[in-house]
Amino acid sequence: MGESIAAVVVRAAELTARGLPRRAIELLRPALVADPRHGEAWCRLAAAHLDVGEPDPALDAAKRALVLDGDHAWAQRLAALALSELGRHAEAAVAARECVRRKPGDWRCRVVLAEVLAAAPDTRVEAVEVAREAAHLAPTEARAFQVLGDAALRVRDWGTAEWAYRSALALDPADEDVHANLATVRRRRSAPGLSGDALSRAHELAWPALSRVAALLVAGGLVLFLAGMPKPTPLLGWFSGALVVAVCVVVGQLVLRGRRAVWVLPRYRPKVAVVGALFGASTLVVAGWTVALFLGATTMQPLVIGWMCALVGGAVVVLGGGR
């Protein structure tokens, strides 16, 4: 039976390498029912579950491997990755650190630790150092440099990120993810006269301002809509004009505080660009409607269009959460 399950493990590894982890799972499950004390098979099963995006069964399989004979460092790596996928970052970090303790010279343990640390904001700086150690241990492994680039990208260390991605591509030129990440780094570094930190500070200023604009346009538009029923009058134009002025004041304060970075920010933060476009359209429509009211117009349709733009933009602000 030992030879039989060993053969199954080899076939499962081949299936996973060919991009067929689901078939590997189907192959390993019955074999483990017959021989549940094969640690390598449990590790292979955990890896296959991670490949198909199933962290719960992956964690269960890794835990089974940890109590059996075999490569416990591999089982710890798999457990750490599964815990990280489940959002249990503290436990994932403990498992990954234990993996490094068991095999301090294994670059794969440090890669997993770097990935886990990079997932939590308060340990991202440490993740860069751990990934740097992994790259030092494995100078011929593209994966080590990719993880270093990913960790540096999260802390906006553009120089380290670009060097790491370029090193990874020198080892594996066909990796499309690394090509895409390198393009992102170069695009962000190319902001004229602005650092990544300046863009981050501008984003921190912009999102609260956009939240205030959302509140003004959504709540103010609803009040105007109710007040203008069934037929708006020129008097309502004073109130809609005040709404437009209030929005301009909030935007003006943002521009004064953020200065040049605010104008560049939409190029590097797509959600800011989308929200800004929607709120800009809403404000222009309300301003045009205000002028039309003073000229004697009695339609409410432009206000409805402007309010809908503000509502969609406000939804993006709420769901985006400033990330």
Side-chain angles (χ1 to χ4, degrees), residues 13-272:
E14 293 173 351
L15 288 170
T16 302
R18 288 163 48 195
L20 301 171
R22 180 63 66 187
R23 288 182 57 185
I25 294 171
E26 295 170 355
L27 188 66
L28 287 164
R29 281 290 183 190
L32 282 167
V33 171
D35 187 354
R37 299 193 60 79
H38 198 285
E40 185 181 354
W42 283 112
C43 284
R44 186 62 61 188
L45 179 63
H49 276 299
L50 284 173
D51 283 345
V52 297
E54 297 173 347
D56 280 308
L59 180 59
D60 292 338
K63 286 181 176 178
R64 293 290 297 268
L66 282 170
V67 299
L68 299 172
D69 293 335
D71 188 350
H72 286 178
W74 186 14
Q76 288 283 7
R77 293 202 311 269
L78 295 166
L81 290 172
L83 287 165
S84 183
E85 289 291 327
L86 291 168
R88 296 158 62 177
H89 299 300
E91 296 172 78
V94 170
R97 291 185 194 279
E98 176 62 18
C99 178
V100 172
R101 188 192 68 80
R102 286 176 181 270
K103 283 192 174 182
D106 190 333
W107 67 273
R108 295 168 298 181
C109 294
R110 295 184 188 273
V111 160
V112 170
L113 178 57
E115 289 181 297
V116 169
L117 294 175
D122 55 342
T123 54
R124 285 175 180 168
V125 174
E126 183 185 358
V128 176
E129 296 307 314
V130 173
R132 203 187 303 274
E133 293 169 1
H136 177 73
L137 288 171
T140 60
E141 296 291 340
R143 178 60 181 161
F145 288 98
Q146 180 183 5
V147 171
L148 174 57
D150 292 345
L153 180 61
R154 285 178 178 255
V155 297
R156 297 180 174 84
D157 183 350
W158 310 126
T160 299
E162 181 170 359
W163 171 80
Y165 287 139
R166 287 169 63 91
S167 300
L169 288 175
L171 296 167
D172 182 9
D175 194 316
E176 295 182 359
D177 289 337
V178 176
H179 276 290
N181 288 346
L182 179 58
T184 298
V185 171
R186 287 172 171 169
R187 186 172 65 249
R188 292 186 176 184
R189 290 191 77 179
S190 66
L194 295 174
S195 66
D197 290 338
L199 290 173
S200 298
R201 287 193 295 270
H203 187 274
E204 292 171 0
L205 292 173
W207 209 256
L210 291 173
S211 299
R212 290 192 290 272
V213 171
L216 284 170
L217 290 174
V218 174
L222 183 60
V223 170
L224 288 172
F225 183 76
L226 295 175
M229 295 296 289
K231 181 179 179 180
T233 63
L235 180 62
L236 196 62
W238 292 104
F239 294 98
S240 60
L243 176 60
V244 172
V245 170
V247 171
C248 291
V249 168
V250 173
V251 174
Q253 290 175 341
L254 171 62
V255 171
L256 289 175
R257 293 179 66 191
R259 299 185 181 276
R260 188 160 169 248
V262 172
W263 299 107
V264 181
L265 184 64
R267 291 175 52 193
Y268 302 94
R269 300 292 191 274
K271 281 188 292 189
V272 174

